[in-house]
Amino acid sequence: MTPAETRAAALPQSADVADSSSEVVTLGEGARSQVPTAETTAPVTDAPTTDAPVTDAPVTDAPTTTAPVTDVPPATDAARPAGAVADPATKTDLRPADAAGAAPAGRRRFRWTRRRQDLAVFGGFLLTAIWVTSQIWVNPAGRVASLYSSDPAQVQFFLAHSVRVVLHGEFPFFTEQFNYPDGVNLMANTAILALGIPMVPVTLLFGPAVTFVLLVTLGLAGTASAWYFVLSRHVVSNPLAAIVGGWFCGFSPAMLSHASWHPNIISQFLLPFIVWRVMVITRSTRPYRDGALLALLVTAQAFINEEILLFTAMGCGIFLIAVVVQRPALWSAAWRPLAKALATCTVIAGTLLAYPLYIQFAGPMAYHGLSDAVRDYGNDIAAYFAPGSPTIGGNQRANVNLAPNYSEENAFFGWSLALIAVGIVLWLRREVLVRALAATAAFYTVLSLGERISWWDRELIVGPWEWLVRLPLLDAVVPTRFGMITSVVVAILLALAIERTRTLSLDRRTVRTLTVAGLVLALLPIAPMPLPMTSRPPVPKFITSDRWRAYVGPEQTLVPIPVPSMGNTHGMRWAASTNLDFKIPGGYFLAPRNGNTGDPGRFNGRPSGIGRLLEDVATTGRTPELDDRQRRRSLDELRSWRAAVLVLPLRQPHSEPLRQTVEQLVGPARLELDVWVWDVRSLTDPRT
């Protein structure tokens, strides 16, 4: 049974409270049920009344009875004050209007309408997201997360690629602007085209660094707002329940963990609508139309992040199976519209995504599966009981070894929320909906533990991921991220628990006190804090002033020193700042190990001798003595890259050892603005 059944079964269908604008599709009998709201005002009677909201009764396996509802007759014209106007839609009285048709100014009251409530909630989520990203908003181009600064540089490169797609008609799914001459398969690297292309005006006006932080801010706020919207319309009627559910979906420790690095992962604002449409098609009377709508959502999400889309599809399947196992009779009513809608979705989405997926899995620089290091990324069991690092109660040192790294803290609920979530399941265990959610959360929690299940970094047993990791599609996901779906389930459980407090046989004040106390205990330790940032080197003036254009031709490359790689991505930021007007060798991306389609993926492209040499110098600060063989091999690589100029910033760490090493390879450098420059066209161009 779905949340809609829970509400529809408990709420009276009186004309005084029915709101036909709220449509909820269920797995139960009947195509659609209209969910009433408590926004209308009941007629005044002599009987005592209370302000308590409409009660939602829990769904249980035991048969239930519903007390008859006594309809109070509406006020008659005789009882209506003089000048009052009857409102036939709500059967309530509207106050007399003045001669101009408006209420007297002194008696006008502010009405807290649904739209105003939504705008207030959306604004609150946006302010929270700005608070979380405040330290990077101070200087988007000059600040970055203190750890793992490579990921933002990669995302900014992809955002600049979207500019070239729009302005120059460049092929969207593959590029040679980095890792020249092999190029990079962008479909296999999450190029976020669905985010980057709409943001092209922002990128052109303010640069990819500003677009990056804007996407992070909107990703957090948008995800929270989308879940609030769907929960408030289709799952719960209590506004606080929907707000808390949306809040945790948007600002959970897992979302905060990814916010510094991965806007593609935290941009989950389409997921609640995908989940909602999947629930709709189980009882759809127009399955082909609903399947087409679902296909459009799926296609858009595929160009944001395919991994999260896969997790969502799996989660919907696990949830529906858990419901049908408990209520097998529901399957007979659901399977026909479900089959028709899913077939329609598969045909339309498959047609739209066929060519991009072909490029991803069979195109140039395609790969299958991830490296062993990433494949084994899993959560420690204790990660579910510790607060996340970027929260008010978080501690980075205490979280060491509980997650693969600080950008992958995909659990971290804290002890209080973890125990409260278990308590909610035990309290509402008789509800089909809650049991199905609990099964879904348990499934994803176990998968998130990875191939080796551990407790406080002590290995216990082999996990089921050991046998699933080699399956198609699953071999390309990071298992720790399954914990993000657990966070969504916990958010829904929190919303349902707040909604069900109405059924407690306690007075309103006691219920409110207990609810507020529980929320403070659960959410305060993991309340979001501003993401920690540190400064990073600016893009050299040699790049920003376009001085490089005097050296680099259309089919030549600019070689940053050190050569761009997973640990040295400043050159990627240089290229992104020019909207990729010049090519660079190397970079940070996923590619096959040996340059052959079908090899397991690895970070960076083919090994480079000169790249490794300069990376060692940049790390150690020691200048090696090079022989003639090393010089010849380095020149051969520069020729294969069609290098025009080598550029070393003066502010680069260990810049002097790097300069001395490069001079052994290609001769003396020339100082130009804020960089050392080596014009190597005479060495690499075969025509000279």
Side-chain angles (χ1 to χ4, degrees):
M1 182 173 293
T2 65
E5 281 186 289
T6 305
R7 294 172 59 190
L11 298 178
Q13 300 299 312
S14 170
D16 293 336
V17 296
D19 179 7
S20 61
S21 65
S22 180
E23 177 185 302
V24 180
V25 181
T26 72
L27 287 171
E29 297 179 358
R32 287 185 174 86
S33 61
Q34 304 299 330
V35 177
T37 63
E39 294 181 357
T40 56
T41 305
V44 179
T45 67
D46 293 334
T49 61
T50 65
D51 295 329
V54 180
T55 301
D56 286 358
V59 180
T60 66
D61 290 336
T64 59
T65 59
T66 305
V69 179
T70 303
D71 293 329
V72 180
T76 62
D77 291 339
R80 184 177 299 115
V85 181
D87 181 49
T90 59
K91 301 184 184 300
T92 57
D93 293 339
L94 304 178
R95 291 299 180 183
D98 59 13
R107 302 175 64 182
R108 183 176 300 169
R109 293 183 179 181
F110 177 81
R111 293 187 60 194
W112 195 252
T113 64
R114 169 65 69 87
R115 176 174 296 181
R116 289 172 176 170
Q117 173 185 297
D118 291 345
L119 291 176
V121 173
F122 298 158
F125 288 154
L126 180 59
L127 290 176
T128 304
I130 294 173
W131 155 259
V132 169
T133 57
S134 57
Q135 291 196 26
I136 191 172
W137 270 118
V138 173
N139 183 6
R143 310 206 73 186
V144 71
S146 55
L147 299 171
Y148 323 117
S149 61
S150 298
D151 288 50
Q154 183 192 64
V155 173
Q156 291 175 34
F157 197 97
F158 293 154
L159 294 173
H161 170 71
S162 292
V163 173
R164 295 185 66 85
V165 170
V166 173
L167 296 188
H168 306 295
E170 190 163 298
F171 187 60
F173 310 134
F174 186 87
T175 184
E176 291 183 345
Q177 296 305 116
F178 68 135
N179 194 40
Y180 187 86
D182 292 334
V184 175
N185 188 320
L186 297 177
M187 276 303 298
N189 275 272
T190 315
I192 57 172
L193 293 169
L195 301 178
I197 289 178
M199 286 290 174
V200 164
V202 177
T203 306
L204 283 172
L205 290 173
F206 305 105
V210 172
T211 304
F212 174 86
V213 65
L214 181 60
L215 286 177
V216 171
T217 305
L218 295 180
L220 293 171
T223 299
S225 299
W227 275 108
Y228 157 78
F229 183 87
V230 170
L231 289 172
S232 65
R233 266 60 174 183
H234 307 290
V235 181
V236 294
S237 59
N238 187 326
L240 177 62
I243 292 171
V244 170
W247 169 277
F248 194 71
C249 286
F251 300 99
S252 67
M255 292 285 284
L256 298 175
S257 170
H258 286 279
S260 296
W261 299 280
H262 306 137
N264 57 310
I265 292 178
I266 66 171
S267 295
Q268 299 180 13
F269 39 79
L270 293 182
L271 300 192
F273 297 101
I274 292 175
V275 173
W276 167 49
R277 298 313 299 178
V278 170
M279 299 302 112
V280 164
I281 64 178
T282 61
R283 294 312 312 265
S284 175
T285 58
R286 291 181 286 183
Y288 299 112
R289 183 209 64 171
D290 291 333
L293 293 176
L294 180 61
L296 296 178
L297 290 171
V298 167
T299 301
Q301 178 60 37
F303 289 108
I304 297 176
N305 187 275
E306 293 175 323
E307 187 177 41
I308 298 298
L309 175 61
L310 176 63
F311 292 170
T312 304
M314 292 172 57
C316 290
I318 296 298
F319 174 80
L320 291 176
I321 291 173
V323 170
V324 171
V325 166
Q326 299 176 77
R327 296 287 179 86
L330 297 177
W331 178 247
S332 60
W335 77 267
R336 288 183 179 86
L338 184 65
K340 293 177 182 178
L342 288 182
T344 303
C345 177
T346 301
V347 171
I348 296 176
T351 301
L352 295 174
L353 294 173
Y355 183 64
L357 293 179
Y358 166 77
I359 296 296
Q360 177 176 345
F361 293 107
M365 297 298 288
Y367 61 89
H368 296 281
L370 299 176
S371 66
D372 294 339
V374 178
R375 190 182 70 178
D376 195 35
Y377 274 11
N379 292 325
D380 193 293
I381 295 176
Y384 282 92
F385 301 98
S389 295
T391 63
I392 193 171
N395 186 331
Q396 282 191 351
R397 294 183 179 180
N399 292 348
V400 172
N401 297 326
L402 297 185
N405 54 58
Y406 295 122
S407 70
E408 296 287 354
E409 291 188 354
N410 294 298
F412 294 88
F413 299 153
W415 279 101
S416 55
L417 178 57
L419 294 178
I420 286 174
V422 174
I424 291 172
V425 173
L426 295 177
W427 171 37
L428 303 176
R429 64 187 180 279
R430 298 185 65 189
E431 297 191 29
V432 172
L433 169 62
V434 172
R435 292 200 296 265
L437 288 171
T440 305
F443 175 81
Y444 276 97
T445 299
V446 172
L447 289 188
S448 75
L449 302 179
E451 296 179 276
R452 301 290 184 271
I453 296 178
S454 60
W455 170 256
W456 288 108
D457 203 27
R458 298 174 61 182
E459 185 176 318
L460 302 178
I461 58 175
V462 175
W465 186 246
E466 170 74 18
W467 298 282
L468 298 176
V469 68
R470 294 171 180 82
L471 296 177
L473 298 183
L474 293 182
D475 63 350
V477 305
V478 182
T480 175
R481 295 176 184 173
F482 284 116
M484 301 194 76
I485 305 302
T486 305
S487 297
V488 172
V489 176
V490 169
I492 298 174
L493 288 173
L494 285 172
L496 290 174
I498 296 172
E499 181 89 349
R500 299 299 186 267
T501 57
R502 296 174 173 180
T503 65
L504 296 175
S505 56
L506 300 170
D507 62 272
R508 285 183 58 194
R509 178 172 297 179
T510 302
V511 170
R512 287 180 176 178
T513 301
L514 292 175
T515 301
V516 171
L519 290 177
V520 170
L521 182 63
L523 300 181
L524 182 60
I526 56 173
M529 295 295 290
L531 300 172
M533 296 290 155
T534 188
S535 60
R536 61 181 173 184
V539 177
K541 295 179 181 178
F542 178 80
I543 302 296
T544 58
S545 65
D546 285 345
R547 294 282 284 272
W548 62 270
R549 295 185 186 274
Y551 299 90
V552 185
E555 297 301 324
Q556 295 175 316
T557 63
L558 181 150
V559 182
I561 304 298
V563 178
S565 64
M566 182 178 179
N568 297 290
T569 55
H570 294 315
M572 295 180 66
R573 290 195 299 115
W574 302 355
S577 70
T578 68
N579 292 323
L580 311 188
D581 282 349
F582 60 80
K583 297 179 173 67
I584 60 173
Y588 170 42
F589 52 91
L590 277 164
R593 291 180 179 176
N594 300 315
N596 298 318
T597 298
D599 292 343
R602 60 171 289 167
F603 298 102
N604 306 320
R606 288 186 291 178
S608 162
I610 187 174
R612 284 198 301 264
L613 171 65
L614 296 176
E615 185 174 1
D616 290 341
V617 176
T619 302
T620 64
R622 293 193 297 266
T623 304
E625 292 293 333
L626 305 181
D627 54 30
D628 290 339
R629 180 173 176 272
Q630 289 175 304
R631 294 188 187 94
R632 288 195 301 270
R633 293 187 62 180
S634 297
L635 286 175
D636 288 341
E637 284 190 324
L638 292 176
R639 292 188 183 101
S640 70
W641 294 340
R642 303 195 66 179
V645 62
L646 280 63
V647 179
L648 171 63
L650 296 178
R651 297 179 60 182
Q652 168 71 36
H654 298 139
S655 62
E656 186 59 22
L658 284 168
R659 181 184 66 81
Q660 295 172 2
T661 302
V662 176
E663 286 185 340
Q664 293 183 61
L665 296 174
V666 296
R670 182 172 69 256
L671 182 62
E672 190 163 348
L673 294 180
D674 54 350
V675 298
W676 292 107
V677 174
W678 289 267
D679 185 349
V680 296
R681 287 175 291 182
S682 61
L683 299 175
T684 60
D685 192 338
R687 295 171 295 180
T688 60

PDB file of all heavy atoms in Angstrom, residues 563-582:
ATOM      1  N   VAL A 563      52.264  18.225 -16.156  1.00  0.00           N
ATOM      2  CA  VAL A 563      51.254  17.789 -17.119  1.00  0.00           C
ATOM      3  C   VAL A 563      49.975  17.428 -16.361  1.00  0.00           C
ATOM      4  O   VAL A 563      50.036  16.748 -15.324  1.00  0.00           O
ATOM      5  CB  VAL A 563      51.769  16.589 -17.926  1.00  0.00           C
ATOM      6  CG1 VAL A 563      50.703  16.102 -18.902  1.00  0.00           C
ATOM      7  CG2 VAL A 563      53.045  16.956 -18.671  1.00  0.00           C
ATOM      8  N   PRO A 564      48.806  17.876 -16.816  1.00  0.00           N
ATOM      9  CA  PRO A 564      47.560  17.595 -16.097  1.00  0.00           C
ATOM     10  C   PRO A 564      47.340  16.106 -15.851  1.00  0.00           C
ATOM     11  O   PRO A 564      47.557  15.270 -16.732  1.00  0.00           O
ATOM     12  CB  PRO A 564      46.485  18.165 -17.031  1.00  0.00           C
ATOM     13  CG  PRO A 564      47.188  19.259 -17.768  1.00  0.00           C
ATOM     14  CD  PRO A 564      48.591  18.764 -17.972  1.00  0.00           C
ATOM     15  N   SER A 565      46.919  15.796 -14.631  1.00  0.00           N
ATOM     16  CA  SER A 565      46.628  14.423 -14.222  1.00  0.00           C
ATOM     17  C   SER A 565      45.641  14.494 -13.066  1.00  0.00           C
ATOM     18  O   SER A 565      45.160  15.582 -12.708  1.00  0.00           O
ATOM     19  CB  SER A 565      47.906  13.704 -13.793  1.00  0.00           C
ATOM     20  OG  SER A 565      48.465  14.325 -12.639  1.00  0.00           O
ATOM     21  N   MET A 566      45.361  13.350 -12.466  1.00  0.00           N
ATOM     22  CA  MET A 566      44.400  13.316 -11.365  1.00  0.00           C
ATOM     23  C   MET A 566      44.818  14.228 -10.218  1.00  0.00           C
ATOM     24  O   MET A 566      43.981  14.863  -9.583  1.00  0.00           O
ATOM     25  CB  MET A 566      44.245  11.885 -10.861  1.00  0.00           C
ATOM     26  CG  MET A 566      43.225  11.716  -9.749  1.00  0.00           C
ATOM     27  SD  MET A 566      43.060   9.987  -9.258  1.00  0.00           S
ATOM     28  CE  MET A 566      41.839  10.123  -7.964  1.00  0.00           C
ATOM     29  N   GLY A 567      46.121  14.307  -9.956  1.00  0.00           N
ATOM     30  CA  GLY A 567      46.602  15.127  -8.853  1.00  0.00           C
ATOM     31  C   GLY A 567      47.037  16.520  -9.247  1.00  0.00           C
ATOM     32  O   GLY A 567      47.387  17.322  -8.371  1.00  0.00           O
ATOM     33  N   ASN A 568      47.026  16.846 -10.523  1.00  0.00           N
ATOM     34  CA  ASN A 568      47.453  18.166 -11.009  1.00  0.00           C
ATOM     35  C   ASN A 568      46.457  18.649 -12.062  1.00  0.00           C
ATOM     36  O   ASN A 568      46.620  18.388 -13.244  1.00  0.00           O
ATOM     37  CB  ASN A 568      48.861  18.097 -11.621  1.00  0.00           C
ATOM     38  CG  ASN A 568      49.913  17.691 -10.610  1.00  0.00           C
ATOM     39  OD1 ASN A 568      50.236  18.446  -9.708  1.00  0.00           O
ATOM     40  ND2 ASN A 568      50.444  16.483 -10.756  1.00  0.00           N
ATOM     41  N   THR A 569      45.416  19.323 -11.601  1.00  0.00           N
ATOM     42  CA  THR A 569      44.333  19.709 -12.507  1.00  0.00           C
ATOM     43  C   THR A 569      44.283  21.207 -12.778  1.00  0.00           C
ATOM     44  O   THR A 569      43.317  21.692 -13.373  1.00  0.00           O
ATOM     45  CB  THR A 569      42.974  19.258 -11.932  1.00  0.00           C
ATOM     46  OG1 THR A 569      42.827  19.799 -10.606  1.00  0.00           O
ATOM     47  CG2 THR A 569      42.880  17.744 -11.882  1.00  0.00           C
ATOM     48  N   HIS A 570      45.292  21.960 -12.360  1.00  0.00           N
ATOM     49  CA  HIS A 570      45.242  23.404 -12.585  1.00  0.00           C
ATOM     50  C   HIS A 570      45.195  23.723 -14.080  1.00  0.00           C
ATOM     51  O   HIS A 570      44.532  24.676 -14.503  1.00  0.00           O
ATOM     52  CB  HIS A 570      46.450  24.081 -11.939  1.00  0.00           C
ATOM     53  CG  HIS A 570      46.458  23.989 -10.441  1.00  0.00           C
ATOM     54  ND1 HIS A 570      45.340  24.237  -9.674  1.00  0.00           N
ATOM     55  CD2 HIS A 570      47.451  23.679  -9.562  1.00  0.00           C
ATOM     56  CE1 HIS A 570      45.632  24.088  -8.400  1.00  0.00           C
ATOM     57  NE2 HIS A 570      46.909  23.740  -8.301  1.00  0.00           N
ATOM     58  N   GLY A 571      45.883  22.934 -14.894  1.00  0.00           N
ATOM     59  CA  GLY A 571      45.843  23.164 -16.334  1.00  0.00           C
ATOM     60  C   GLY A 571      44.455  23.000 -16.914  1.00  0.00           C
ATOM     61  O   GLY A 571      44.093  23.670 -17.897  1.00  0.00           O
ATOM     62  N   MET A 572      43.640  22.121 -16.323  1.00  0.00           N
ATOM     63  CA  MET A 572      42.261  21.973 -16.775  1.00  0.00           C
ATOM     64  C   MET A 572      41.461  23.230 -16.467  1.00  0.00           C
ATOM     65  O   MET A 572      40.615  23.646 -17.261  1.00  0.00           O
ATOM     66  CB  MET A 572      41.627  20.743 -16.123  1.00  0.00           C
ATOM     67  CG  MET A 572      42.271  19.427 -16.529  1.00  0.00           C
ATOM     68  SD  MET A 572      41.513  17.984 -15.740  1.00  0.00           S
ATOM     69  CE  MET A 572      39.872  17.991 -16.464  1.00  0.00           C
ATOM     70  N   ARG A 573      41.738  23.854 -15.334  1.00  0.00           N
ATOM     71  CA  ARG A 573      41.054  25.112 -15.013  1.00  0.00           C
ATOM     72  C   ARG A 573      41.476  26.216 -15.973  1.00  0.00           C
ATOM     73  O   ARG A 573      40.660  27.070 -16.337  1.00  0.00           O
ATOM     74  CB  ARG A 573      41.339  25.537 -13.575  1.00  0.00           C
ATOM     75  CG  ARG A 573      40.703  24.663 -12.521  1.00  0.00           C
ATOM     76  CD  ARG A 573      40.715  25.351 -11.161  1.00  0.00           C
ATOM     77  NE  ARG A 573      42.059  25.647 -10.700  1.00  0.00           N
ATOM     78  CZ  ARG A 573      42.543  26.880 -10.515  1.00  0.00           C
ATOM     79  NH1 ARG A 573      41.796  27.941 -10.785  1.00  0.00           N
ATOM     80  NH2 ARG A 573      43.770  27.060 -10.059  1.00  0.00           N
ATOM     81  N   TRP A 574      42.763  26.215 -16.372  1.00  0.00           N
ATOM     82  CA  TRP A 574      43.200  27.221 -17.350  1.00  0.00           C
ATOM     83  C   TRP A 574      42.389  27.095 -18.639  1.00  0.00           C
ATOM     84  O   TRP A 574      41.888  28.086 -19.167  1.00  0.00           O
ATOM     85  CB  TRP A 574      44.671  27.030 -17.686  1.00  0.00           C
ATOM     86  CG  TRP A 574      45.630  27.083 -16.548  1.00  0.00           C
ATOM     87  CD1 TRP A 574      45.351  27.370 -15.233  1.00  0.00           C
ATOM     88  CD2 TRP A 574      47.032  26.842 -16.628  1.00  0.00           C
ATOM     89  NE1 TRP A 574      46.485  27.306 -14.488  1.00  0.00           N
ATOM     90  CE2 TRP A 574      47.546  26.994 -15.310  1.00  0.00           C
ATOM     91  CE3 TRP A 574      47.901  26.513 -17.664  1.00  0.00           C
ATOM     92  CZ2 TRP A 574      48.889  26.814 -15.028  1.00  0.00           C
ATOM     93  CZ3 TRP A 574      49.243  26.347 -17.386  1.00  0.00           C
ATOM     94  CH2 TRP A 574      49.739  26.491 -16.079  1.00  0.00           C
ATOM     95  N   ALA A 575      42.282  25.862 -19.129  1.00  0.00           N
ATOM     96  CA  ALA A 575      41.547  25.643 -20.374  1.00  0.00           C
ATOM     97  C   ALA A 575      40.078  26.006 -20.213  1.00  0.00           C
ATOM     98  O   ALA A 575      39.462  26.608 -21.095  1.00  0.00           O
ATOM     99  CB  ALA A 575      41.711  24.200 -20.831  1.00  0.00           C
ATOM    100  N   ALA A 576      39.486  25.627 -19.062  1.00  0.00           N
ATOM    101  CA  ALA A 576      38.071  25.928 -18.828  1.00  0.00           C
ATOM    102  C   ALA A 576      37.823  27.429 -18.798  1.00  0.00           C
ATOM    103  O   ALA A 576      36.772  27.907 -19.257  1.00  0.00           O
ATOM    104  CB  ALA A 576      37.611  25.280 -17.529  1.00  0.00           C
ATOM    105  N   SER A 577      38.780  28.200 -18.278  1.00  0.00           N
ATOM    106  CA  SER A 577      38.592  29.654 -18.204  1.00  0.00           C
ATOM    107  C   SER A 577      38.544  30.299 -19.579  1.00  0.00           C
ATOM    108  O   SER A 577      38.039  31.417 -19.728  1.00  0.00           O
ATOM    109  CB  SER A 577      39.715  30.280 -17.374  1.00  0.00           C
ATOM    110  OG  SER A 577      40.952  30.208 -18.061  1.00  0.00           O
ATOM    111  N   THR A 578      39.063  29.622 -20.609  1.00  0.00           N
ATOM    112  CA  THR A 578      39.008  30.135 -21.983  1.00  0.00           C
ATOM    113  C   THR A 578      37.915  29.447 -22.796  1.00  0.00           C
ATOM    114  O   THR A 578      37.876  29.580 -24.016  1.00  0.00           O
ATOM    115  CB  THR A 578      40.349  29.905 -22.689  1.00  0.00           C
ATOM    116  OG1 THR A 578      40.559  28.502 -22.895  1.00  0.00           O
ATOM    117  CG2 THR A 578      41.498  30.469 -21.883  1.00  0.00           C
ATOM    118  N   ASN A 579      37.024  28.694 -22.096  1.00  0.00           N
ATOM    119  CA  ASN A 579      36.002  27.892 -22.773  1.00  0.00           C
ATOM    120  C   ASN A 579      36.632  26.903 -23.754  1.00  0.00           C
ATOM    121  O   ASN A 579      36.130  26.661 -24.851  1.00  0.00           O
ATOM    122  CB  ASN A 579      34.977  28.780 -23.479  1.00  0.00           C
ATOM    123  CG  ASN A 579      34.116  29.550 -22.496  1.00  0.00           C
ATOM    124  OD1 ASN A 579      33.754  29.030 -21.440  1.00  0.00           O
ATOM    125  ND2 ASN A 579      33.816  30.798 -22.822  1.00  0.00           N
ATOM    126  N   LEU A 580      37.764  26.338 -23.327  1.00  0.00           N
ATOM    127  CA  LEU A 580      38.474  25.271 -24.050  1.00  0.00           C
ATOM    128  C   LEU A 580      38.948  25.729 -25.430  1.00  0.00           C
ATOM    129  O   LEU A 580      38.928  24.953 -26.395  1.00  0.00           O
ATOM    130  CB  LEU A 580      37.602  24.015 -24.179  1.00  0.00           C
ATOM    131  CG  LEU A 580      36.910  23.504 -22.912  1.00  0.00           C
ATOM    132  CD1 LEU A 580      36.263  22.152 -23.184  1.00  0.00           C
ATOM    133  CD2 LEU A 580      37.851  23.438 -21.742  1.00  0.00           C
ATOM    134  N   ASP A 581      39.407  26.947 -25.521  1.00  0.00           N
ATOM    135  CA  ASP A 581      39.909  27.440 -26.806  1.00  0.00           C
ATOM    136  C   ASP A 581      41.245  26.810 -27.184  1.00  0.00           C
ATOM    137  O   ASP A 581      41.657  26.905 -28.343  1.00  0.00           O
ATOM    138  CB  ASP A 581      40.052  28.964 -26.769  1.00  0.00           C
ATOM    139  CG  ASP A 581      38.714  29.659 -26.924  1.00  0.00           C
ATOM    140  OD1 ASP A 581      37.735  28.961 -27.266  1.00  0.00           O
ATOM    141  OD2 ASP A 581      38.640  30.880 -26.709  1.00  0.00           O
ATOM    142  N   PHE A 582      41.944  26.197 -26.224  1.00  0.00           N
ATOM    143  CA  PHE A 582      43.156  25.459 -26.569  1.00  0.00           C
ATOM    144  C   PHE A 582      43.084  24.037 -26.019  1.00  0.00           C
ATOM    145  O   PHE A 582      42.396  23.771 -25.031  1.00  0.00           O
ATOM    146  CB  PHE A 582      44.428  26.170 -26.066  1.00  0.00           C
ATOM    147  CG  PHE A 582      44.487  26.376 -24.568  1.00  0.00           C
ATOM    148  CD1 PHE A 582      44.870  25.350 -23.712  1.00  0.00           C
ATOM    149  CD2 PHE A 582      44.207  27.625 -24.019  1.00  0.00           C
ATOM    150  CE1 PHE A 582      44.956  25.550 -22.347  1.00  0.00           C
ATOM    151  CE2 PHE A 582      44.287  27.827 -22.653  1.00  0.00           C
ATOM    152  CZ  PHE A 582      44.653  26.788 -21.813  1.00  0.00           C
TER     153      PHE A 582
END
